[in-house]
Amino acid sequence: MSPRSTPRFVRLAAGLLCGLALVGGALAQTTTKIGFQAGLTGPAAADGNAGLAAAKLAVEQINGAGGLNGKTLELVVYDDQGKPEQAVPIANRMVGDGVRAVVSAGFSGPSRAAAPVFQKAKIPYIASIAFAPEITRTGNYMFRVTSVGEVQGRAAAKLVGEVLRKKRTVLLTIKTDFGKTLAAGFKEAAPKFGVQLLKEYEYAPSDRQFGPLIASIKADNPEVIYATGFYFTAGPLVAQLRSAGITADVVGAESLSSQQYIDIAGQAAEGTVITNVIDWGSQLPEIADFLKAYEKATNSKAEAAATSTHAAVTTLAAAIRKAKSDEPEKIRAALESTEVMTAIGRISFNKLHEVKKSFPLSIVRNGKWERFGVIDDAALLAPPEQ
């Protein structure tokens, strides 16, 4: 059949389809899809949703400043429910969605499960809060912007021995990947700073009543209690410690950085010191502006998960800009040499793609977190290379 004999409506329909295909192709070329994985429901929901709010804020800021290489960022969001068994099908769906890179604000279990999927697909994957060492060891497309637990534990040992100038310490280890790695780093570095470890006790994430444990700690008579855990465990724990008359300094990690810890512990939270990712009171615009913008956007103060996730998206954007491309392999290569100021300070990566950064210190004064100093010891804080 000749073109002239083709019915007019068929020619019009064909033309319309071609036009739509061209428009669809043009639209696809003007956006860069970035995957986001976190537990938005279930036990990880508080951190997951804080991370999502921060990721959305970062994307809005980047797009508001003109995007990247002539394209806008599009955040593709999936809820892993805090479960490793949900993370794998979600990862496969993101690969099918055509994401160019992924930021995970998931906990260690789901992030560790998803990592091999993205490594096999050769898609850069940045863990913003997961501590499991296996993540970066999965392959060369894996990166992490939060320090592994051992590094933060070493920083805590220096905090106790050199900053607080205390020795007699009891270690409370929550039975999670996070708690165990913090404890390992603390125990490794404690002798270097004259810290005497009196006892180590373990407790479960579900524990809220600590009567027998507190009785034992009181008998130990420590100067410092290094309490690894989360705001929902440390809050009741510290309140009960103070009610029992225990006056030892309480030292913790970034997982206590939320206002919720202070709200739960009440007056007992006063004087708590933590190794943090947030440098409260910093005058650096990348930090100060993020803290203001996050509070304005969410009507709540930032905590560790939000701040690290914003830093992860910022770092990914810097790599895409540096690569002048959103091809995954080019993004991966650019990430390896990216050094950028973020909401958690200046970061870069070592050969294993672990982050190199310092640790701000925070203290509770008058019911809020304030700046208490910084641990900035390159040798002490060196992340693992293999």
Side-chain angles (χ1 to χ4, degrees):
M1 181 182 291
S2 68
R4 288 180 179 276
S5 60
T6 303
R8 185 171 181 269
F9 76 88
V10 174
R11 296 199 304 273
L12 288 172
L16 179 60
L17 288 172
C18 288
L20 288 173
L22 288 171
V23 170
L27 287 174
Q29 292 172 5
T30 61
T31 62
T32 295
K33 284 186 176 182
I34 301 300
F36 177 86
Q37 167 211 339
L40 304 177
T41 56
D47 283 339
N49 283 287
L52 177 58
K56 287 181 175 179
L57 173 62
V59 168
E60 288 172 6
Q61 290 170 330
I62 291 162
N63 287 340
L68 297 171
N69 307 325
K71 298 183 180 182
T72 57
L73 290 185
E74 177 187 350
L75 203 63
V76 181
V77 179
Y78 280 105
D79 176 14
D80 64 30
Q81 302 173 35
K83 300 176 181 178
E85 62 271 23
Q86 293 293 330
V88 173
I90 280 173
N92 283 311
R93 286 171 66 186
M94 277 197 274
V95 171
D97 278 341
V99 300
R100 315 307 283 170
V102 175
V103 169
S104 168
F107 284 176
S108 285
S111 298
R112 181 169 44 207
V117 176
F118 294 113
Q119 177 63 34
K120 183 177 179 181
K122 296 185 176 180
I123 293 174
Y125 185 72
I126 305 179
S128 67
I129 67 173
F131 286 83
E134 298 90 341
I135 294 170
T136 52
R137 289 176 171 84
T138 299
N140 64 337
Y141 278 79
M142 303 292 111
F143 296 80
R144 189 189 338 253
V145 299
T146 192
S147 296
V148 291
E150 288 89 348
V151 173
Q152 189 167 177
R154 295 200 297 265
K158 184 168 183 173
L159 164 60
V160 171
E162 283 197 358
V163 179
L164 298 179
R165 298 189 179 279
K166 300 292 177 68
K167 293 183 178 181
R168 295 169 51 82
T169 303
V170 163
L171 174 57
L172 300 183
T173 302
I174 190 168
K175 290 187 281 187
T176 64
D177 286 339
F178 175 59
K180 291 174 183 177
T181 56
L182 284 172
F186 186 87
K187 288 186 284 188
E188 173 198 339
K192 300 176 185 177
F193 302 105
V195 176
Q196 179 188 359
L197 186 59
L198 301 175
K199 287 277 186 65
E200 179 181 3
Y201 300 96
E202 291 188 337
Y203 69 97
S206 58
D207 290 348
R208 299 293 184 273
Q209 296 298 322
F210 301 95
L213 178 61
I214 288 172
S216 296
I217 294 171
K218 194 167 186 176
D220 296 330
N221 192 29
E223 294 177 288
V224 174
I225 297 168
Y226 182 37
T228 71
F230 304 94
Y231 71 86
F232 48 81
T233 57
L237 171 63
V238 172
Q240 291 168 47
L241 284 169
R242 297 303 187 229
S243 293
I246 297 173
T247 59
D249 291 348
V250 174
V251 170
E254 63 189 54
S255 49
L256 306 190
S257 67
S258 73
Q259 182 64 33
Q260 290 162 300
Y261 164 71
I262 300 172
D263 293 342
I264 293 170
Q267 184 63 29
E270 288 293 310
T272 301
V273 182
I274 62 172
T275 49
N276 205 348
V277 298
I278 306 175
D279 190 359
W280 292 106
S282 172
Q283 299 303 306
L284 292 172
E286 292 84 357
I287 298 174
D289 291 352
F290 162 73
L291 295 173
K292 291 176 184 176
Y294 184 86
E295 185 168 3
K296 181 178 179 181
T298 66
N299 200 31
S300 62
K301 290 187 178 297
E303 38 67 56
T307 311
S308 291
T309 303
H310 190 277
V313 177
T314 301
T315 303
L316 178 57
I320 294 172
R321 189 178 292 112
K322 182 175 184 177
K324 298 181 181 178
S325 170
D326 61 5
E327 289 299 316
E329 166 55 27
K330 292 181 180 179
I331 296 172
R332 185 206 63 78
L335 277 168
E336 291 188 336
S337 58
T338 292
E339 183 172 345
V340 61
M341 277 299 302
T342 73
I344 61 173
R346 184 171 297 281
I347 64 174
S348 60
F349 299 103
N350 73 354
K351 292 179 181 178
L352 190 58
H353 300 168
E354 297 287 2
V355 71
K356 295 189 286 186
K357 61 177 286 293
S358 60
F359 274 101
L361 303 177
S362 302
I363 187 170
V364 179
R365 287 190 176 125
N366 300 316
K368 65 179 183 179
W369 289 110
E370 293 184 359
R371 194 172 200 271
F372 191 64
V374 64
I375 300 292
D376 190 7
D377 181 332
L380 179 72
L381 303 181
E385 292 279 357
Q386 58 183 7

